[in-house]
Amino acid sequence: MDRDLLRRLNSSAPVTRREMRLAARAQRRRNNLVASASLAALVGTVTSVMAWAGPQGSSTSTAQETTTTQIQRVRGDSAASRSDERTDLTQTQSSSTDDGGWSLGESNSQFDVKKMSTVAASNVRVAALMEKDSAVLPSGFNPNHATGDAGNTYEFGQCTWWVYKRRTQLGLPVGSHMGDGRMWADSAKTLGYWVDSTPRHVGDVIVFSAGQDGADAVYGHVAIVEAINDDGSVVTSETSAGMSGETFSRTFTASQAAALRYIHY
């Protein structure tokens, strides 16, 4: 035998029994490692397949086939039908306009625009009275006008003192510096009160000119409307100097009442 060949064989093959046993043991370990790796790969493959399966164990391809079948059924004769006749959009739009215009119905044609423009009164008592007088309110009347109220500055027992006190009791505004009784109508107009010759509500201030119906010949007089009777007569509450704040009442006929002036709100 060739010596070089013999040398190579001796260097690669075990020359003792111990070396042969070690070599065999190493080969078994390699075989076990290969078998374990193969088993792990197999388990991974099975897990992937199960993950893609449906809830009944069906595969992805089965689910896809089912979905396709359902789509085909919807497209079949059992699907909801549409009308074969369709209305042209131009016909639908012909009954309407796009110019932005609009009109009120007949029921709205009698809407009271005057009420829409009425300024809301901050005084609830005034607001209630204005509601009753909505049809006759002066144009542009402002219920939140200046009241001129700074407390009762009038001399105790005078007619002006009582009128201020009574108006306050009724929750109505009243000025503190309106002057003598005969001056109250003009002072009230300046502040924005509504003044005319018609008694309208309990609490209206009655203004007497100097010497009118027993009023003082110089200073005039003021009183409060306490009632308006069905016949147009007016019942008052009032006081005067020398009565120590005690009040009295008079009744004026409709014709007498129409000759006086009244402060409203």
Side-chain angles (χ1 to χ4, degrees):
M1 181 179 294
D2 188 347
R3 290 185 177 182
D4 292 334
L5 177 59
L6 182 60
R7 191 181 301 113
R8 286 195 298 270
L9 289 174
N10 288 336
S11 61
S12 58
V15 295
T16 65
R17 291 184 178 179
R18 181 174 179 276
E19 290 176 346
M20 292 175 65
R21 287 196 301 272
L22 291 175
R25 190 179 302 168
Q27 184 62 38
R28 286 195 300 273
R29 284 199 298 268
R30 285 194 295 271
N31 293 338
N32 289 337
L33 288 174
V34 171
S36 298
S38 300
L39 180 60
L42 179 60
V43 170
T45 301
V46 172
T47 302
S48 298
V49 172
M50 291 179 66
W52 282 98
Q56 302 298 329
S58 60
S59 63
T60 304
S61 59
T62 303
Q64 291 175 346
E65 292 174 359
T66 302
T67 303
T68 302
T69 303
Q70 292 175 349
I71 293 174
Q72 292 174 348
R73 288 177 180 175
V74 170
R75 292 177 179 175
D77 295 337
S78 62
S81 62
R82 298 183 184 179
S83 173
D84 292 335
E85 298 181 0
R86 300 185 182 182
T87 303
D88 192 345
L89 289 177
T90 56
Q91 298 177 7
T92 304
Q93 295 174 350
S94 62
S95 60
S96 62
T97 62
D98 58 356
D99 57 3
W102 59 278
S103 61
L104 291 173
E106 183 178 353
S107 60
N108 293 325
S109 60
Q110 298 179 353
F111 188 81
D112 191 349
V113 179
K114 185 176 181 180
K115 291 184 178 181
M116 291 181 61
S117 60
T118 300
V119 178
S122 57
N123 183 308
V124 294
R125 174 66 175 158
V126 170
L129 296 177
M130 284 183 62
E131 181 66 22
K132 295 179 180 180
D133 296 334
S134 60
V136 294
L137 279 174
S139 177
F141 175 72
N142 177 14
N144 300 316
H145 59 77
T147 64
D149 188 4
N152 196 342
T153 61
Y154 303 104
E155 185 178 349
F156 173 76
Q158 296 290 333
C159 62
T160 50
W161 168 85
W162 167 248
V163 166
Y164 181 96
K165 181 177 180 179
R166 183 63 176 142
R167 289 274 291 187
T168 301
Q169 289 175 350
L170 294 172
L172 294 168
V174 59
S176 301
H177 302 283
M178 308 280 278
D180 298 331
R182 63 182 174 83
M183 301 169 61
W184 273 54
D186 293 335
S187 298
K189 277 186 177 181
T190 301
L191 289 170
Y193 291 88
W194 177 18
V195 180
D196 65 7
S197 59
T198 303
R200 300 184 184 279
H201 305 289
V202 172
D204 286 348
V205 179
I206 310 171
V207 181
F208 298 80
S209 299
Q212 185 180 19
D213 291 325
D216 186 90
V218 177
Y219 303 111
H221 186 60
V222 286
I224 291 290
V225 172
E226 293 293 345
I228 301 173
N229 298 319
D230 293 339
D231 61 0
S233 61
V234 172
V235 180
T236 72
S237 71
E238 48 192 305
T239 191
S240 61
M243 296 189 63
S244 301
E246 294 292 328
T247 61
F248 63 94
S249 177
R250 292 187 285 174
T251 299
F252 292 90
T253 66
S255 59
Q256 288 175 319
L260 301 169
R261 287 189 291 175
Y262 301 86
I263 301 172
H264 315 289
Y265 311 151

